[in-house]
Amino acid sequence: MMQRVRLKDVADSLGLSVNTVSRALAGKSEVSPATRQRIQDEADRLGYVPNTLARSLVLGSNQTLALVITNPSNPLYAELISGVEVRARQHGYSLLLLVTEESTENERAAVEALLRSAVDGAIAVPVQSEHEHWRRLNRAGIPLVLVNRDIPELDTDFVGVDNWRGAYDATRHVIARGARTVWALEEDLPITTIAERIDGFHRALDEGGLPSAARDVVAVPTRRYESSALPWQAEGAYTLCRDLIAERGAPDAVITGNDYFALGLMRALAELGYRVPDDVLVTGYGDHPYAGFVSPSLSSVRLPGSQIGAAAVDLLLARGEEPTDQPVKRRIAPTFVARDSTARGATTPDATATA
């Protein structure tokens, strides 16, 4: 982690006095336009923080944390917001929320806003398509903690769900109940959370001795680029699965990447004459509030959103006190909740299910 760039750093780089650099960046007339531009260019290159933030640091703290997320309607992120806000308030901080809607352009604009603002640190769910703007935030010395999606190229702290474990446990659960052909139903989006779940899915199948021909990853076309307000819809999974199962037949089990997809899948199965769980086992991901009330009730992976939010705030505040420490990477395990959609007698021991 890099320390905050100071006026002295800019001055030393140019061989000028701190007073000259300070006057130039403040727009004072005593500095020539050419020198002012040279100083501004060097300040931008080094990632010097604008004076609004510098003044707040001189005073001690502005007592404000920023949370940058892709989509507030995602139930996990709704819990994350609550967890961050509650823990921040406990420490006397207010919360600034920025939403990117899975847009790199919006994300860059959010980072620019943070560089101009007097925030004490930022927590972010990154879009993951680019990361140079996050490097600028790091160079500016503003503490940053990534949540849910990591960017390994950045020297940055991370707190997220152990998505590998969530998918692994769900897959192991259906194998223990006799499934020998298993699909993973995931959104067609190139993000680490999905890649991690697919890895966990394959590992459980490998350990269960299921060959490649007995598994498939089915990608549901994403709608996030159309509207972040409705990132998942049951309709997309319903249409895709209806056509695919009518053509190929149903597998023994389907591990879905979110509960919306599970609902669409179950409707498609019912229309095609398949019964859940007698013919096909189905698991969701996220354990949304309705999961226990649909028929059959949906087995799902419960995510620790509030816990992640609180942990991110704690890590961010600790990072502000020790800016040179090595980055921390923490993954919090989710919990598999077994319900009627996988209520078939276990054929092998299974320790993943909970009430």
Side-chain angles (χ1 to χ4, degrees), residues 13 51 70 74 99 106 135 144 155 210 212 217 251 261 267 280 288 307 353:
S13 178
N51 284 345
T70 55
N74 182 326
V99 178
N106 290 347
R135 287 190 189 280
L144 171 67
D155 189 25
L210 274 67
S212 298
V217 177
F261 286 179
R267 177 178 172 181
V280 182
H288 298 170
Q307 188 179 352

Side-chain angles (χ1 to χ4, degrees), residues 176-247:
R177 277 145 185 79
R180 291 298 173 264
T181 55
V182 188
W183 293 357
L185 188 64
E186 286 285 0
E187 185 179 18
D188 188 13
L189 195 65
I191 56 177
T192 56
T193 50
I194 293 175
E196 290 161 5
R197 285 199 297 267
I198 292 173
D199 284 346
F201 166 74
H202 283 305
R203 174 61 69 84
L205 293 171
D206 288 342
E207 292 180 1
L210 274 67
S212 298
R215 65 187 76 178
D216 199 0
V217 177
V218 180
V220 179
T222 184
R223 304 184 70 166
R224 293 203 204 190
Y225 298 132
E226 299 173 16
S227 172
S228 177
L230 292 172
W232 301 310
Q233 291 186 352
E235 179 184 358
Y238 160 73
T239 303
L240 179 66
C241 291
R242 181 194 59 196
D243 295 342
L244 189 60
I245 293 170
E247 176 186 348

Side-chain angles (χ1 to χ4, degrees), residues 255-314:
I255 309 301
T256 69
N258 63 73
D259 290 351
Y260 294 100
F261 286 179
L263 292 184
L265 166 67
M266 287 196 294
R267 177 178 172 181
L269 288 168
E271 291 184 1
L272 293 169
Y274 293 94
R275 296 169 298 169
V276 176
D278 296 341
D279 300 317
V280 182
L281 303 175
V282 175
T283 70
Y285 202 89
D287 196 34
H288 298 170
Y290 59 76
F293 295 91
V294 297
S295 182
S297 57
L298 179 63
S299 297
S300 189
V301 177
R302 181 176 296 162
L303 306 180
S306 296
Q307 188 179 352
I308 290 171
V313 173
D314 291 343

Side-chain angles (χ1 to χ4, degrees), residues 312-337:
V313 173
D314 291 343
L315 186 55
L316 185 66
L317 296 181
R319 177 61 64 197
E321 296 174 359
E322 299 182 74
T324 59
D325 282 355
Q326 292 298 311
V328 173
K329 306 291 184 179
R330 181 183 176 192
R331 297 182 184 277
I332 301 175
T335 303
F336 186 82
V337 181

Side-chain angles (χ1 to χ4, degrees), residues 68 98 106-116 133-134 136-137 142:
V68 183
L98 300 96
N106 290 347
E107 187 175 79
R108 283 195 296 263
V111 171
E112 290 298 328
L114 295 182
L115 288 168
R116 295 192 301 269
H133 43 284
W134 294 118
R136 290 191 61 205
L137 203 69
I142 298 175

